[in-house]
Amino acid sequence: MVVKPEWLRVKAPQWERVGTVKEILRDLSLNTVCEEASCPNIGECFHNGTATFLIMGPACTRACPYCDIDFEKKPKPLDATEPERLAEAVRRLKLNHVVITSVNRDDLPDGGASQFVRCIEAIRASSPGTTIEVLIPDLCGNWEALAGILQAEPEVLNHNTETVSRLYRRVRPQGEYQRTMELMKRSRELAPWVYTKSGIMVGLGETDAEVREVMQDLRNVDCDILTIGQYLQPSQKHLKVDNFVPPAQFAAWQEFGESIGFLQVVASPLTRSSYHAEQVRALMERYPRSRF
């Protein structure tokens, strides 16, 4: 049994608030990546009344060996009621900032982009003051689908790089490192007013130099925000942890990221793509952008 270091232990959540969020999610038949992907921060985020909604799931058409979301070669058709149910959850939870992510839907021609658009539009209609972050899959390189999501005007477009280029075949076998970089590059070109964001996991055997190379690659395509967190093995059938990265190394990556121009770098052992995502509202005030 692998013993986690002290810095990876999390406080027990206050279950009263957690239970309230869970009740709303169950009442509206919604999924969250917090639960499906076994996020270690679920207690803190649910206690604070925040959640990252997982649409078009819970089953995914890809079987990435690091991910705890179930694989399904032929998932169910899209639910036309999902956008309205999602918007209702945002309204009930009184969210200032919402994150919408999805499973990969490689079975759909647009990778599910149209469902992202419908969800954004539904939230805009019921909670116009809520800022929206979408954490999207690579859409199999369908750039027209990407343009459609950006035209719906989310404040943040997030797409995770996940790991260093050398480890892609093992960690993300159905993904392509250069396709990820191209998605980030095109997002900036198509909608320069949208804040772009990406994230990587560490502890899979990458080197410090490789992490810095990914960071520089993301800056070369003008990515604004970066998250770096420790990979944790969800079960015995998933990829094993190669090493536990100490907090000092995360601090060094954060310092390096800020030095090369990221607007924000969130780096710590327990950081995940959507951890403290609501802080983007303060970032938008500090670095305002206008479409016109």
Side-chain angles (χ1 to χ4, degrees), residues 230-271:
Q230 170 74 49
Y231 168 69
L232 298 175
Q233 184 180 6
S235 75
Q236 289 300 312
K237 67 181 182 180
H238 291 88
L239 284 176
K240 289 182 170 54
V241 175
D242 181 84
N243 62 299
F244 291 112
V245 179
Q249 179 62 74
F250 286 97
W253 285 327
Q254 180 174 341
E255 182 178 358
F256 173 71
E258 291 170 349
S259 76
I260 62 174
F262 283 103
L263 300 185
Q264 181 185 54
V265 179
V266 183
S268 74
L270 290 173
T271 290

Side-chain angles (χ1 to χ4, degrees), residues 88-210:
E88 175 62 14
V90 172
R91 188 190 67 80
R92 290 192 198 179
L93 289 168
K94 299 180 175 62
L95 298 182
N96 291 321
H97 183 78
V98 60
V99 183
I100 310 166
T101 190
S102 78
V103 293
N104 284 279
R105 290 299 302 262
D106 296 340
D107 58 311
L108 301 173
D110 70 350
S114 56
Q115 191 78 337
F116 271 104
V117 172
R118 286 188 283 268
C119 288
I120 293 169
E121 291 173 345
I123 293 169
R124 291 275 187 245
S126 63
S127 303
T130 299
T131 50
I132 300 173
E133 176 176 330
V134 290
L135 172 53
I136 66 170
D138 63 23
L139 307 172
C140 293
N142 184 334
W143 308 132
E144 184 177 340
L146 172 64
I149 294 175
L150 290 165
Q151 286 167 9
E153 300 189 18
E155 277 76 16
V156 182
L157 189 292
N158 187 350
H159 174 64
N160 282 336
T161 306
E162 302 294 11
T163 189
V164 301
S165 178
R166 176 177 60 85
L167 297 178
Y168 246 63
R169 181 170 294 183
R170 180 165 69 92
V171 176
R172 201 179 189 186
Q174 292 167 282
E176 297 176 12
Y177 184 82
Q178 289 305 322
R179 185 164 65 194
T180 285
M181 293 300 154
E182 183 69 14
L183 185 152
M184 301 303 294
K185 177 175 179 288
R186 286 177 180 263
S187 296
R188 169 63 67 238
E189 293 171 349
L190 289 165
W193 57 88
V194 171
Y195 297 84
T196 54
K197 178 177 176 181
S198 192
I200 60 173
M201 306 173 291
V202 292
L204 287 163
E206 68 292 320
T207 66
D208 172 63
E210 287 176 320

